[in-house]
Amino acid sequence: MAATARNALLKYLRVQVEAVPRNPSTTSSSVFLNSFNALRRHFSTEEVRGSFLDKSEVTERVITVVKNFQKVDPSKVTPNANFQSDLGLDSLDSVEVVMALEEEFGFEIPDNEADKINSISLAVDFIASHPQAK
């Protein structure tokens, strides 16, 4: 009974495969290279260079977001400012700043990474190295 069920199931799961004619002059390594070259994506230099934001631009934008945060004294905001000790923010305020940064840069920061961002410099480093930041 199990063999009958197996055969009935395999009848619907089988895929028709055609044999590829073998050329004796081709080696397995050249076949691999040809397959790899067919699948490889070519990246332009603009794509590679433009995949991450400039760190100075990110720094300016992060500082602007933090300065615009209601509970922050704009005169205390520096590129190395810590959210809690330098700017007087509590943990909930820090979460709100990270959420504002997500909105500014157009991508979601995972919770485990957001928990680590407690200063402007850490935010800049993370955002500048993230390929989805806009």
Side-chain angles (χ1 to χ4, degrees):
M1 175 122 173
T4 306
R6 178 181 171 273
N7 289 337
L9 181 63
L10 287 176
K11 179 180 175 183
Y12 291 103
L13 294 177
R14 288 196 175 119
V15 177
Q16 187 69 23
V17 178
E18 294 180 25
V20 177
R22 255 190 178 261
N23 184 352
S25 65
T26 61
T27 63
S28 61
S29 63
S30 67
V31 170
F32 171 76
L33 287 175
N34 289 337
S35 300
F36 178 75
N37 287 333
L39 295 174
R40 184 177 53 168
R41 178 167 180 227
H42 298 280
F43 290 99
S44 68
T45 53
E46 288 81 26
E47 276 183 304
V48 173
R49 221 179 298 128
S51 61
F52 300 107
L53 297 176
D54 180 54
K55 204 167 186 174
S56 62
E57 176 192 345
V58 173
T59 303
E60 290 174 23
R61 288 171 65 188
V62 168
I63 287 175
T64 301
V65 168
V66 174
K67 280 184 177 181
N68 290 332
F69 192 70
Q70 209 171 25
K71 297 180 181 179
V72 171
D73 178 4
S75 65
K76 294 183 179 180
V77 178
T78 65
N80 296 319
N82 184 289
F83 293 156
Q84 281 119 9
S85 61
D86 298 330
L87 302 178
L89 301 176
D90 61 21
S91 58
L92 183 58
D93 295 330
S94 296
V95 170
E96 290 179 19
V97 168
V98 171
M99 289 171 59
L101 293 172
E102 288 176 332
E103 191 173 318
E104 170 69 22
F105 290 95
F107 75 102
E108 186 175 331
I109 300 173
D111 291 340
N112 62 336
E113 295 296 329
D115 293 341
K116 297 175 190 174
I117 298 174
N118 61 6
S119 69
I120 290 177
S121 60
L122 288 175
V124 168
D125 290 342
F126 181 79
I127 293 167
S129 68
H130 202 284
Q132 293 179 339
K134 298 174 189 157

